[in-house]
Amino acid sequence: MVTGDHEGRLGEEFFTPGSSSFAEFLAAHRPELLSTRRILPDGVRVEGAPHGTTVLALTYRDGVLIAGDRRATMGNLIAQRDLEKVHPADDLTAVAFAGTVGLAVDLVKLYQVELTHFEKVEGVPMTLAGKATRLATMIRNNLGQAMQGLAVVPLLAGYDPAAPEDGRGRIFSFDVAGGRYEKFAFHAEGSGSPYARGALKKLFRPGTSRREAALAALQALYDAADDDSATGGPDITRRIYPIVAVITEDGFERLAETETEELSREMVEQRRSRPDGPNAAV
């Protein structure tokens, strides 16, 4: 960390007026601590770093649900089977990621500190739209590495107490250049996202219960794993299941592994008689 000239004393930088952004503070005084600022030599591309996919989010009756599979791949190899891609950002917000695992984990940790730092400096929590804009800025700072093959594409979901009652669960997606886009009802990111979105198109219903929303998310991840080798489905033998979490007015809650296992086993059993999944309701 940044220190003063004498042990135990804070340096001048801590008393210099600036923004409420912790990332900007580091960029000004200790830029080497920001992994998103490290640019590789010209012409160098990294192809062998582990990548994670697929993540998705959908709104439901009480808020918003966010979920992700557990697989990370490195080329044609499975690099990790139990990766955690869904993380709380604060009490009312969660972020999931697809892309380069090492940078994504660092980005999530920095983002968590960023939101806490803002609240301590300003005395109030950041609005959900502000959180999305701040995350977009952090992604834009990683553009140089994204162009060299180290892209991170997060998915942000949150509960917005200031929104109308039927729209408090909100979802934001981003591109590698820091573009911010609000998505409505549902969205998915990662290499399996086209198949997950296709499943959610037929399964999503406004105002569903938490259980129904969780089953829809698991069905979508199963369809993604069925057609995308980089996405992992529920691993019954190893007892590795997708991560599913909800954000409501009560805050972030990750579904217990016993609940996720029960729902996953129910879904897999249904697939025995209908391998392509449930039909869309007419």
Side-chain angles (χ1 to χ4, degrees):
M1 277 303 297
V2 183
T3 58
D5 294 331
H6 302 286
E7 187 175 354
R9 296 184 183 179
L10 297 176
E12 288 184 10
E13 55 273 11
F14 286 95
F15 303 98
T16 303
S19 76
S20 56
S21 169
F22 183 73
E24 290 180 11
F25 176 77
L26 279 186
H29 302 288
R30 291 292 297 275
E32 71 276 8
L33 296 179
L34 289 171
S35 59
T36 56
R37 296 296 181 95
R38 299 169 192 157
I39 306 300
L40 301 174
D42 290 341
V44 174
R45 287 185 61 84
V46 178
E47 304 293 347
H51 279 66
T53 56
T54 300
V55 295
L56 59 85
L58 65 150
T59 58
Y60 74 108
R61 184 174 58 206
D62 299 323
V64 62
L65 178 146
I66 188 166
D69 81 306
R70 307 293 297 275
R71 178 173 293 179
T73 57
M74 192 163 54
N76 64 324
L77 302 176
I78 297 176
Q80 188 173 345
R81 300 180 189 274
D82 60 351
L83 178 66
E84 300 203 0
K85 305 174 188 177
V86 178
H87 302 268
D90 62 11
D91 290 342
L92 295 176
T93 319
V95 61
F97 65 81
T100 307
V101 173
L103 283 180
V105 171
D106 282 352
L107 182 71
V108 169
K109 290 179 180 177
L110 181 59
Y111 185 57
Q112 292 168 334
V113 175
E114 185 85 349
L115 298 187
T116 301
H117 185 261
F118 177 92
E119 186 170 349
K120 288 182 177 180
V121 170
E122 300 294 337
V124 294
M126 196 181 295
T127 64
L128 185 55
K131 295 173 188 177
T133 300
R134 187 61 60 90
L135 184 55
T137 301
M138 295 173 67
I139 298 166
R140 190 174 302 117
N141 290 336
N142 187 51
L143 182 59
Q145 289 178 307
M147 295 298 101
Q148 294 175 304
L150 298 174
V152 177
V153 183
L155 182 63
L156 184 71
Y159 184 86
D160 188 354
E165 188 172 351
D166 59 349
R168 290 180 179 172
R170 300 175 68 185
I171 302 166
F172 295 89
S173 71
F174 307 85
D175 60 36
V176 295
R180 189 200 84 170
Y181 313 95
E182 183 164 6
K183 302 295 183 178
F184 299 96
F186 60 85
H187 189 65
E189 291 288 359
S191 61
S193 61
Y195 313 109
R197 286 198 295 269
L200 288 173
K201 279 184 179 179
K202 69 177 183 178
L203 297 175
F204 177 81
R205 296 289 180 274
T208 58
S209 67
R210 186 176 93 159
R211 189 177 193 279
E212 292 168 332
L215 274 173
L218 291 172
Q219 293 278 11
L221 289 173
Y222 191 103
D223 279 348
D226 200 32
D227 287 295
D228 174 46
S229 61
T231 303
D235 192 333
I236 302 294
T237 56
R238 294 185 178 89
R239 300 186 66 181
I240 300 173
Y241 304 99
I243 294 176
V244 181
V246 295
I247 309 109
T248 67
E249 63 179 347
D250 296 324
F252 175 92
E253 179 190 356
R254 175 171 165 170
L255 270 62
E257 190 166 325
T258 52
E259 183 177 359
T260 308
E261 179 178 1
E262 177 194 342
L263 294 174
S264 297
R265 288 182 178 275
E266 177 182 331
M267 176 197 64
V268 171
E269 187 60 35
Q270 292 172 356
R271 293 272 178 156
R272 293 184 189 277
S273 58
R274 191 182 292 274
D276 293 331
N279 289 331
V282 179

